[in-house]
Amino acid sequence: MLRKSSLFWFGSIALAGVLLFRTSYQVQEAREELSAVNHKIASAQEAIQVLKAEWGFFNEPARLEQLTEHYLHLRPTETVQLASLTSLTAVPMRPQVTPAVVRDQPQPTPPVRAPYAGASAPQLAAAPLAVVASAEAAQPAPAPVPHEPARTAVAAAPAGPTKRPPRKPVVHRPQAPARDEVAMLLARLGGN
Amino acid sequence: MTGRGTDEIVADLGSQSRRGGAVLEHGGMTRPTAPLRDVVGHALEQAHNRLMVTAAVLSLAFGVIAIRVADVTLLGPNVDTHAALAAAGTPQGGRADIIDRNGALLATSLATASLYADPKLIIDPKAATRKLVKALPELNHDEVLAKLSSEKRFVWLKRNLTPRQHYAVHVLGLPGLFFQNEERRFYPSGSLTSHVVGFTGVDNNGLAGLEQSFDKKLKASSTPLQTSIDLRLQHILRREVQAQVDEFKGIGAAGLIYDVNTGEVLAMVSLPDFDPHEPAGLDKDTLFNRVTLGVYEMGSTFKIFNSAMSLDTGRIRLSDAFDATHAIHVGRFTISDYHGKNRWLTVPEIFMYSSNIGSVRMALQIGTATQKQFMAKMGFLQPVPVEIPEAAWPLVPHPWRDINTMTIAFGHGISVSALHLVVASASVLNGGIMVKPTLLKRQPGVPIQGERVVSERTSEQMRKLFRLVVTDGTAKFADVPGYLVGGKTGTADKQRGRHYAQNARLSSFIGAFPMNAPRYIVFVMVDEPKPSAATHGYATGGWVAAPAVGRLVRQIGPLLGVEPVDENRPEIRQAMAIEHLNRGPALAAYQPDARQE
């Protein structure tokens, strides 16, 4: 004989059972999800590791140096190109183009370009420093670029003293980058 | 359980007892009814009590469970526990990375798969080989066929496949092929840092360099190990040192860039070096670290310590002069100068012209005991306390006789490593504080421990002497306008058996800049340089090593943020000015272009 209380208890038990069952399944599901996410994390970590290695490999100083030589007109900074603001206080922002400054220039046409200053300016006198330290110094004179004539005519032809050398000389790329970067990395690890 | 429930039970029991009474009656036994009622009442009382206790215990238990369930489900999940669970399940990376001081990667671990086969499970070796070689063209067809046709149960086909190759083999779907997950150490800059970082074996145990000394730490945690090395400086140093080796056909070389104040090694090169990916099968010469493991008689660079010692005792002043007119004969030895001035020389002149005779006279005046004590303070009697296992014991005379005192004055009779020399020179230049060298980056804000070895005054005088060698002495090639380079050349004859070889030298230069407040030491040493026509037959430190240091300072000065100064500024001139130099007419006769040792 079922009483109301028994009904209540049986109902509660059934409800609890269902809830427990559901929770158990949810836990199982969540666990599977966790393991899937963990797996993803692991492969992402591996991918990051490979990318980091690749980044290091492509940023190897020797390689960068080679690329810089190929594609840029930049050179190592010379001491005369460096100056601090305090040491520049005595120097006018726009240097007066006086004969003293342009004495060793081939043609005194503005904008004054300083010659590549490594050999010619041993002392850090005030006026030449201002010229060298100006923005023009970033552009080296066309003459001393060593590997220019070997390339296309673009760079060699208009190299007059008053013209800027072309910003980006077109050169044939040394070689197309390999597709399988990871293979390149691992090739360095040696064979079998 | 309620009172009502108990009543029911009591009623139930009552009916039972009534039936029991009937049974008893059937059995013919007679008992009065009233005592029976008492007994039943007592039993009922007992049962009631027991039930109450049981009910209380059970309710307590269920209550606890209910509270816990409510806590776990309703009151929200505990985030910490979840994070901990997730962390426990998160796959850990392998061996930790090694990075340079700017974060550039020096060593890392890559997860790779290696392909192996169980030939017993291969159904058709020929077809399998054909497909496999198509997927991995670098494999040799015949070799693979032989492997797959063999009777073994395990053959390696290819170690460390790339992900692409892994996929290519995977899609073949061949039975009998399996992958083994492995980890390979990868050094992005190859041999550039090989002697600092070292290498690992096939099972990823560190076998040399930092890989060996920090093996446990690298395995335990995944935080990268940050070294004091600057990869850019390392590259420049290696390039310039290699250039000197090529030009002078040396058998090896060493180079070091060192922070004078913090004791950090910014670059360390030993040539010839090796590819850390394949250290096996290399000869010992390439694995040999000439900076820390090789001990050499350093030659004239030891006059740094002879002078510092003499000045620091206070018994010899800069103005003191010593007789360098004649060679010194001791037993079967003759101590002479390369290009003798044959006159009395002051202390700065002895340093500048690198006079052996003068140095010996200074050392003799100071005495053997003080010299030994000073060399111990400089760390020359112990291995350098640096973090790589390749740290050599110096070779010191035992017993330390007067003849040793004389030879040590100009750097013979005691063999130390290049790192010894640089660390000790740093302590002489940085104001007199000996700082422990390190290959790990110092964290900003952490005070640097050091102990005073020479006085500040001595250090200041030594800076002037260093500068003098570059402006007027044996190392003019090392000068770089604006950076106030100072230094000391050294050319030592190498010992062959019991004698000194005439044409096997060790030419070195230890340079520092800027000399008004030294920050960095640049050291270059070339092992057995051969004189060339371009150097007029010289292969001394001033010709071989000093130009390399000059080129190095020119390139690394801007990178290190050293501001060039005008050498002609009065305060600089005054800081570098040295008295007691112009003694006698002989200095005028000294030809600046006759660069000598």
Side-chain angles (χ1 to χ4, degrees):
Chain A
M1 180 178 143
L2 286 174
R3 294 199 190 183
K4 273 185 184 171
S5 63
S6 311
L7 266 178
F8 169 74
W9 288 116
F10 276 123
S12 305
I13 290 167
L15 188 66
V18 168
L19 282 178
L20 191 65
F21 206 62
R22 261 192 59 187
T23 314
S24 156
Y25 266 96
Q26 275 174 350
V27 167
Q28 201 175 333
E29 235 168 70
R31 224 172 243 162
E32 273 164 23
E33 203 181 328
L34 177 68
S35 114
V37 168
N38 275 342
H39 194 258
K40 267 190 198 167
I41 291 173
S43 41
Q45 274 175 346
E46 271 171 29
I48 290 171
Q49 207 66 14
V50 169
L51 288 173
K52 266 162 63 184
E54 220 179 293
W55 177 255
F57 177 64
F58 285 128
N59 280 294
E60 192 196 0
R63 182 176 174 276
L64 287 187
E65 193 172 67
Q66 210 181 350
L67 292 178
T68 314
E69 264 174 31
H70 257 98
Y71 296 110
L72 300 176
H73 276 308
L74 300 176
R75 293 159 175 246
T77 323
E78 288 291 332
T79 51
V80 286
Q81 290 173 288
L82 300 171
S84 67
L85 272 180
T86 48
S87 71
L88 282 176
T89 46
V91 180
M93 291 306 281
R94 285 171 190 279
Q96 300 288 317
V97 185
T98 58
V101 174
V102 294
R103 190 178 49 218
D104 47 1
Q105 300 287 325
Q107 289 168 0
T109 45
V112 179
R113 181 191 293 112
Y116 182 57
S120 63
Q123 86 274 45
L124 299 169
L129 177 65
V131 178
V132 176
S134 67
E136 288 297 319
Q139 291 285 337
V145 177
H147 39 248
E148 210 56 40
R151 304 237 203 91
T152 53
V154 187
T162 52
K163 288 188 181 175
R164 283 161 167 264
R167 189 75 192 90
K168 259 194 185 174
V170 184
V171 288
H172 30 265
R173 295 171 183 280
Q175 57 189 5
R179 297 293 304 165
D180 194 352
E181 291 87 358
V182 183
M184 284 173 64
L185 291 182
L186 285 159
R188 302 196 48 164
L189 294 174
N192 277 334
Chain B
M1 293 284 167
T2 59
R4 191 183 159 79
T6 322
D7 287 351
E8 281 172 38
I9 293 166
V10 172
D12 204 27
L13 283 172
S15 68
Q16 266 186 8
S17 63
R18 273 195 294 279
R19 263 179 270 136
V23 170
L24 290 175
E25 279 163 24
H26 278 290
M29 287 183 69
T30 52
R31 267 194 189 181
T33 327
L36 183 70
R37 274 220 174 257
D38 282 353
V39 170
V40 168
H42 186 69
L44 277 176
E45 191 70 17
Q46 205 173 18
H48 178 248
N49 288 345
R50 284 177 183 168
L51 280 168
M52 286 306 281
V53 169
T54 315
V57 169
L58 281 177
S59 359
L60 192 69
F62 275 106
V64 168
I65 291 174
I67 290 167
R68 177 66 187 139
V69 166
D71 177 41
V72 167
T73 55
L74 300 180
L75 298 181
N78 189 339
V79 181
D80 289 347
T81 345
H82 271 227
L85 270 176
T90 306
Q92 287 292 311
R95 201 178 167 83
D97 294 346
I98 300 178
I99 56 177
D100 86 337
R101 65 185 300 111
N102 304 315
L105 205 58
L106 300 181
T108 187
S109 294
L110 294 181
T112 57
S114 289
L115 178 65
Y116 69 93
D118 182 352
K120 283 252 172 175
L121 299 180
I122 303 268
I123 300 161
D124 181 359
K126 278 188 181 170
T129 305
R130 205 179 54 244
K131 285 182 184 169
L132 205 53
V133 172
K134 204 176 168 193
L136 304 171
E138 62 271 32
L139 289 182
N140 184 314
H141 180 276
D142 297 341
E143 271 178 31
V144 174
L145 185 59
K147 278 181 183 172
L148 294 189
S149 314
S150 70
E151 289 298 308
K152 291 181 196 162
R153 296 299 307 264
F154 182 96
V155 281
W156 281 118
L157 290 174
K158 187 166 167 53
R159 301 293 288 269
N160 298 312
L161 300 178
T162 68
R164 205 166 287 235
Q165 292 170 327
H166 187 178
Y167 174 77
V169 176
H170 217 90
V171 293
L172 294 179
L174 292 170
L177 295 185
F178 303 97
F179 295 103
Q180 167 81 37
N181 284 332
E182 286 194 306
E183 199 178 67
R184 265 309 286 268
R185 208 66 171 147
F186 179 68
Y187 304 92
S189 28
S191 57
L192 185 53
T193 54
S194 52
H195 281 108
V196 182
V197 173
F199 57 87
T200 60
V202 274
D203 42 3
N204 257 1
N205 288 323
L207 295 181
L210 292 172
E211 292 270 32
Q212 185 181 354
S213 40
F214 288 94
D215 196 36
K216 276 188 187 149
K217 197 179 168 223
L218 289 169
K219 278 179 180 165
S221 87
S222 56
T223 30
L225 181 73
Q226 187 156 39
T227 64
S228 62
I229 298 292
D230 187 324
L231 199 60
R232 304 166 302 171
L233 303 187
Q234 180 81 10
H235 166 69
I236 295 170
L237 180 65
R238 182 165 179 266
R239 165 165 32 83
E240 295 303 337
V241 172
Q242 183 69 57
Q244 295 313 96
V245 171
D246 293 344
E247 186 180 347
F248 294 95
K249 302 184 178 60
I251 60 167
L256 200 65
I257 300 175
Y258 187 78
D259 189 314
V260 169
N261 298 309
T262 65
E264 288 171 302
V265 176
L266 299 181
M268 183 169 97
V269 167
S270 169
L271 293 177
D273 50 19
F274 59 90
D275 183 358
H277 298 123
E278 285 191 72
L282 288 170
D283 60 297
K284 281 191 166 176
D285 191 38
T286 55
L287 293 176
F288 186 71
N289 190 336
R290 278 165 210 268
V291 180
T292 59
L293 195 56
V295 292
Y296 306 96
E297 291 183 307
M298 284 297 175
S300 304
T301 41
F302 250 67
K303 286 167 192 158
I304 297 168
F305 312 111
N306 195 52
S307 305
M309 171 186 73
S310 307
L311 294 171
D312 202 50
T313 54
R315 276 145 62 190
I316 291 177
R317 287 166 299 162
L318 279 182
S319 56
D320 288 348
F322 294 86
D323 182 10
T325 320
H326 304 293
I328 300 173
H329 299 278
V330 188
R332 60 189 176 93
F333 300 103
T334 303
I335 297 167
S336 58
D337 288 349
Y338 270 96
H339 293 277
K341 294 278 160 276
N342 300 325
R343 61 176 174 86
W344 284 65
L345 298 171
T346 60
V347 171
E349 284 172 325
I350 289 170
F351 195 75
M352 174 174 121
Y353 300 133
S354 200
S355 163
N356 294 340
I357 304 168
S359 301
V360 169
R361 296 215 185 277
M362 284 163 71
L364 286 176
Q365 185 170 334
I366 297 302
T368 303
T370 313
Q371 188 191 43
K372 186 174 179 184
Q373 206 184 347
F374 187 80
M375 294 299 162
K377 263 201 298 189
M378 287 285 129
F380 291 146
L381 310 186
Q382 295 280 328
V384 182
V386 74
E387 290 93 346
I388 51 176
E390 295 89 2
W393 276 89
L395 299 177
V396 291
H398 185 80
W400 200 300
R401 299 178 202 279
D402 282 353
I403 177 70
N404 302 118
T405 306
M406 296 166 81
T407 57
I408 286 169
F410 56 95
H412 285 76
I414 185 169
S415 298
V416 299
S417 69
L419 191 58
H420 271 110
L421 184 79
V422 170
V423 171
S425 304
S427 74
V428 169
L429 292 176
N430 69 3
I433 308 291
M434 170 70 84
V435 178
K436 213 177 127 204
T438 180
L439 278 167
L440 301 185
K441 187 182 182 183
R442 289 204 191 270
Q443 296 309 314
V446 180
I448 295 161
Q449 302 289 325
E451 88 185 88
R452 176 161 294 284
V453 286
V454 296
S455 68
E456 264 181 53
R457 186 181 143 74
T458 307
S459 180
E460 195 185 316
Q461 288 172 331
M462 288 308 296
R463 292 174 188 178
K464 291 179 180 181
L465 293 183
F466 264 62
R467 179 71 185 141
L468 186 67
V469 171
V470 172
T471 51
D472 299 275
T474 53
K476 293 203 183 66
F477 286 135
D479 199 19
V480 180
Y483 282 124
L484 290 176
V485 185
K488 181 77 192 82
T489 55
T491 311
D493 289 332
K494 280 176 88 174
Q495 232 169 348
R496 286 276 161 80
R498 295 183 56 82
H499 299 280
Y500 284 97
Q502 272 306 306
N503 290 318
R505 293 194 195 84
L506 206 64
S507 300
S508 58
F509 180 71
I510 181 162
F513 72 101
M515 278 328 288
N516 53 345
R519 287 175 61 188
Y520 299 101
I521 282 184
V522 182
F523 174 78
V524 170
M525 176 179 84
V526 180
D527 198 351
E528 295 192 20
K530 316 288 182 297
S532 70
T535 61
H536 314 290
Y538 287 107
T540 55
W543 280 95
V544 175
V549 171
R551 292 201 303 269
L552 279 165
V553 172
R554 193 184 288 272
Q555 293 172 69
I556 68 175
L559 285 181
L560 291 169
V562 178
E563 192 187 336
V565 293
D566 183 356
E567 285 145 42
N568 296 320
R569 260 164 47 194
E571 66 267 28
I572 302 290
R573 271 172 175 276
Q574 198 176 356
M576 290 293 110
I578 202 152
E579 321 86 55
H580 322 299
L581 191 58
N582 222 341
R583 277 183 68 96
L587 191 66
Y590 172 68
Q591 295 298 311
D593 55 334
R595 292 171 206 274
Q596 59 187 350
E597 196 44 38

